[in-house]
Amino acid sequence: MTPGARVSAAIEVLDAIAGGLAAEQALTRWARQSRFAGSKDRAAVRDHVFDVLRQKRTAAHYGGSEAGRALMIGMLHGQKADLDALFTGEGHAPMPLSEEERRFPQTPEDRATNLNLPDWLLPLFDTALGEKADAAALALQERGPICLRVNTARIEVAAAQELLAEDGVQTRANPLTAAALTVTEGPRRIRNSRAFIDGYVELQDAASQAVVAGLPLGGRVLDYCAGGGGKALALAMDPSRQITAHDIDPRRMSDLPLRAERAGVEISIADREQVVADGPYDLVLCDAPCSGSGAWRRAAEGKWTLTPDRLTELTGIQDQILDAAATLTTAQGVLAYATCSLFREENEARVDAFLTRHPEWKATRMDRFDITSEGDGFFVAQLTRD
Ligand SMILES: C[S@@+](CC[C@H](N)C(=O)[O-])C[C@H]1O[C@@H](n2cnc3c(N)ncnc32)[C@H](O)[C@@H]1O
């Protein structure tokens, strides 16, 4: 595909998203209908679409509307791309820009547009992050790093780096935690690399790894909101832990047995009844459902689809999860609460509300991970009984 044809494809996908499809669905549907597109074409179209979603407000400002074509024009104008070289009307390239489309407005003046945030989120960023708010919002406009977790139960970090390099995946150490690597070259080769197939490395954000790396070692551990099992697998790198994974939606854990087998670790999967029967546990991790705002570089739609009502609903769920998980924690045990949210409402405020409801508990640690070129935004608190 020519660069212009890739832009046309991105416009088609953006229109499908505007019509109600989720970004991943829209991309998959386009890829199925476009068998001629190679893997580089698919990656380029995907990059265009996610670049726009991360910067949708400025793209709409420059492009004049939220239609796919306008968003692409606005985003590429913001990137100072040569629009006339892409919008040629030749082959599958989009039609040349009209006179009206060439009349670009001045740089936006209001802060929310410049930061590519909906207005209502600005105060939440300010409350949670203070003087770091703008930097966090700007970081959300960039692509996130691709990170790996070395399965240190089975291989040393340097040996894993060598193995990856043999398959064309170059990495560097990530400062957030010892087992984390940042991929500097060959990210698309990871899934076919020996290191990945043989379970020596897993794809996992470095801050997500750091959350787990700070938890106590050993004992009986319950990952109460295990989802795909990223944190359960990271917990399992400590062979002295006995891990149980649970999720209200067991389908989310469907890949976990295979991933555990690949990693050479044991993780039991349990439903709520079994978890209650087998409890209490020395460590209960609640990696709670949240806005995902710390990871909006990777799932940029969330920034535009989150609503105040949904946020309130999420905080209610987070409270319920903490209350339920507390009853599953031993008297001397640790209850860990984590989110990939930036917002106070989902983080410190949930811990405060829990401590008000349960005065016999105290917070022994609270850590925030900023969104950086090393990892996503995360929050983790460790709670124990007095
Ligand atoms: C942030 S995701 C977990 C991600 C996962 N820990 C990882 O690292 O890959 C949150 C998970 O919580 C689950 N969940 C939502 N409500 C729950 C509840 N009341 N009890 C247990 N799990 C719940 C969701 O189904 C979702 O899979």
Side-chain angles (χ1 to χ4, degrees), residues 99 245 331 370:
E99 279 314 305
D370 292 335

Side-chain angles (χ1 to χ4, degrees), residues 276-288:
V276 171
D278 293 351
Y281 299 83
D282 304 305
L283 169 64
V284 180
L285 170 61
C286 305
D287 186 22

Side-chain angles (χ1 to χ4, degrees), residues 224-231 246-249 252 287-289 317 321:
Y224 190 63
C225 303
K231 294 206 178 49
H246 164 78
D247 197 285
I248 196 167
D249 180 357
R252 289 191 172 245
D287 186 22
I317 294 170
I321 286 176

Side-chain angles (χ1 to χ4, degrees), residues 215 221-229 231-232 235 243-250 252-253 256 267-268 270-276 279 281 283-289 317-329 334-338:
L215 298 176
V221 179
L222 173 64
D223 184 358
Y224 190 63
C225 303
K231 294 206 178 49
L235 284 161
I243 318 266
T244 301
H246 164 78
D247 197 285
I248 196 167
D249 180 357
R252 289 191 172 245
M253 298 185 290
L256 185 50
I267 296 177
S268 323
D271 61 17
R272 168 89 198 154
E273 209 175 304
Q274 217 174 322
V275 158
V276 171
Y281 299 83
L283 169 64
V284 180
L285 170 61
C286 305
D287 186 22
I317 294 170
Q318 290 155 359
D319 288 343
Q320 283 169 17
I321 286 176
L322 271 169
D323 288 351
T327 66
L328 297 168
T329 313
V334 172
L335 172 58
Y337 173 72

